[in-house]
Short mmCIF file of all heavy atoms in Angstrom, two decimals:
data_model
loop_
_atom_site.label_atom_id
_atom_site.label_comp_id
_atom_site.label_asym_id
_atom_site.label_seq_id
_atom_site.Cartn_x
_atom_site.Cartn_y
_atom_site.Cartn_z
N PHE A 70 -247.59 112.80 -120.08
CA PHE A 70 -248.87 113.00 -119.37
C PHE A 70 -250.01 113.33 -120.36
O PHE A 70 -249.83 113.70 -121.51
CB PHE A 70 -248.66 114.13 -118.34
CG PHE A 70 -248.61 115.48 -118.93
CD1 PHE A 70 -249.69 116.28 -118.97
CD2 PHE A 70 -247.33 115.92 -119.34
CE1 PHE A 70 -249.62 117.57 -119.48
CE2 PHE A 70 -247.21 117.24 -119.85
CZ PHE A 70 -248.35 118.07 -119.90
N LYS A 101 -247.71 125.43 -104.76
CA LYS A 101 -247.57 126.41 -105.79
C LYS A 101 -248.92 126.87 -106.30
O LYS A 101 -249.18 128.11 -106.45
CB LYS A 101 -246.83 125.83 -106.99
CG LYS A 101 -245.34 125.52 -106.66
CD LYS A 101 -244.53 126.82 -106.42
CE LYS A 101 -243.07 126.49 -106.27
NZ LYS A 101 -242.20 127.69 -106.10
N ALA A 136 -263.38 101.57 -120.81
CA ALA A 136 -263.32 101.27 -119.37
C ALA A 136 -264.48 100.45 -118.96
O ALA A 136 -265.60 100.65 -119.38
CB ALA A 136 -263.11 102.53 -118.51
N LEU A 166 -283.96 104.60 -129.06
CA LEU A 166 -282.59 104.12 -128.76
C LEU A 166 -281.58 104.84 -129.70
O LEU A 166 -280.47 104.97 -129.24
CB LEU A 166 -282.48 102.56 -128.87
CG LEU A 166 -283.07 101.72 -127.73
CD1 LEU A 166 -283.02 100.25 -128.24
CD2 LEU A 166 -282.30 101.90 -126.52
N ARG A 174 -271.63 105.71 -129.87
CA ARG A 174 -270.68 105.30 -130.93
C ARG A 174 -269.75 106.45 -131.35
O ARG A 174 -268.57 106.20 -131.55
CB ARG A 174 -271.40 104.71 -132.13
CG ARG A 174 -270.59 104.13 -133.18
CD ARG A 174 -271.35 103.79 -134.35
NE ARG A 174 -271.81 104.97 -135.20
CZ ARG A 174 -272.65 104.93 -136.29
NH1 ARG A 174 -273.20 103.76 -136.56
NH2 ARG A 174 -272.95 106.01 -136.82
N GLY A 175 -270.31 107.61 -131.44
CA GLY A 175 -269.42 108.72 -131.83
C GLY A 175 -268.31 108.99 -130.89
O GLY A 175 -267.23 109.42 -131.25
N THR A 187 -268.81 94.87 -131.16
CA THR A 187 -269.73 93.89 -131.85
C THR A 187 -270.44 93.08 -130.83
O THR A 187 -271.64 92.68 -130.98
CB THR A 187 -268.99 93.00 -132.80
OG1 THR A 187 -267.94 92.29 -132.07
CG2 THR A 187 -268.41 93.73 -134.00
N PHE A 212 -296.42 81.51 -130.54
CA PHE A 212 -296.34 80.58 -131.60
C PHE A 212 -296.75 81.26 -132.99
O PHE A 212 -296.05 81.02 -133.93
CB PHE A 212 -297.30 79.37 -131.23
CG PHE A 212 -297.44 78.36 -132.36
CD1 PHE A 212 -296.45 77.42 -132.50
CD2 PHE A 212 -298.47 78.38 -133.20
CE1 PHE A 212 -296.49 76.46 -133.51
CE2 PHE A 212 -298.50 77.39 -134.22
CZ PHE A 212 -297.50 76.47 -134.42
N HIS A 213 -297.80 81.98 -132.90
CA HIS A 213 -298.23 82.74 -134.10
C HIS A 213 -297.14 83.57 -134.66
O HIS A 213 -296.92 83.60 -135.87
CB HIS A 213 -299.49 83.41 -133.80
CG HIS A 213 -299.94 84.34 -134.96
ND1 HIS A 213 -300.44 83.85 -136.12
CD2 HIS A 213 -299.88 85.72 -135.12
CE1 HIS A 213 -300.71 84.87 -136.96
NE2 HIS A 213 -300.37 86.02 -136.32
N GLU A 214 -296.51 84.43 -133.73
CA GLU A 214 -295.51 85.40 -134.13
C GLU A 214 -294.27 84.72 -134.76
O GLU A 214 -293.66 85.12 -135.71
CB GLU A 214 -295.10 86.39 -133.08
CG GLU A 214 -296.30 87.24 -132.62
CD GLU A 214 -296.57 88.34 -133.60
OE1 GLU A 214 -295.83 88.45 -134.57
OE2 GLU A 214 -297.66 88.98 -133.47
N MET A 238 -284.69 82.89 -122.92
CA MET A 238 -285.46 82.77 -124.11
C MET A 238 -285.09 83.75 -125.27
O MET A 238 -285.15 83.39 -126.41
CB MET A 238 -287.02 82.94 -123.88
CG MET A 238 -287.73 81.72 -123.29
SD MET A 238 -287.46 80.20 -124.08
CE MET A 238 -288.13 80.52 -125.76
N HIS A 254 -281.89 96.29 -137.79
CA HIS A 254 -281.21 97.42 -138.46
C HIS A 254 -282.02 98.06 -139.58
O HIS A 254 -281.90 99.21 -139.82
CB HIS A 254 -279.88 96.90 -139.04
CG HIS A 254 -278.83 96.40 -137.94
ND1 HIS A 254 -278.37 97.29 -137.00
CD2 HIS A 254 -278.34 95.18 -137.69
CE1 HIS A 254 -277.58 96.59 -136.18
NE2 HIS A 254 -277.62 95.31 -136.56
N LEU A 261 -272.94 99.63 -133.77
CA LEU A 261 -271.95 100.29 -132.83
C LEU A 261 -270.52 100.11 -133.42
O LEU A 261 -269.68 101.04 -133.13
CB LEU A 261 -271.99 99.59 -131.50
CG LEU A 261 -273.23 99.83 -130.65
CD1 LEU A 261 -273.14 99.10 -129.34
CD2 LEU A 261 -273.47 101.30 -130.44
#
Side-chain angles (χ1 to χ4, degrees):
F70 70 97
K101 296 289 186 179
L166 280 174
R174 184 184 75 188
T187 55
F212 176 79
H213 171 73
E214 293 291 345
M238 281 306 300
H254 296 297
L261 290 179

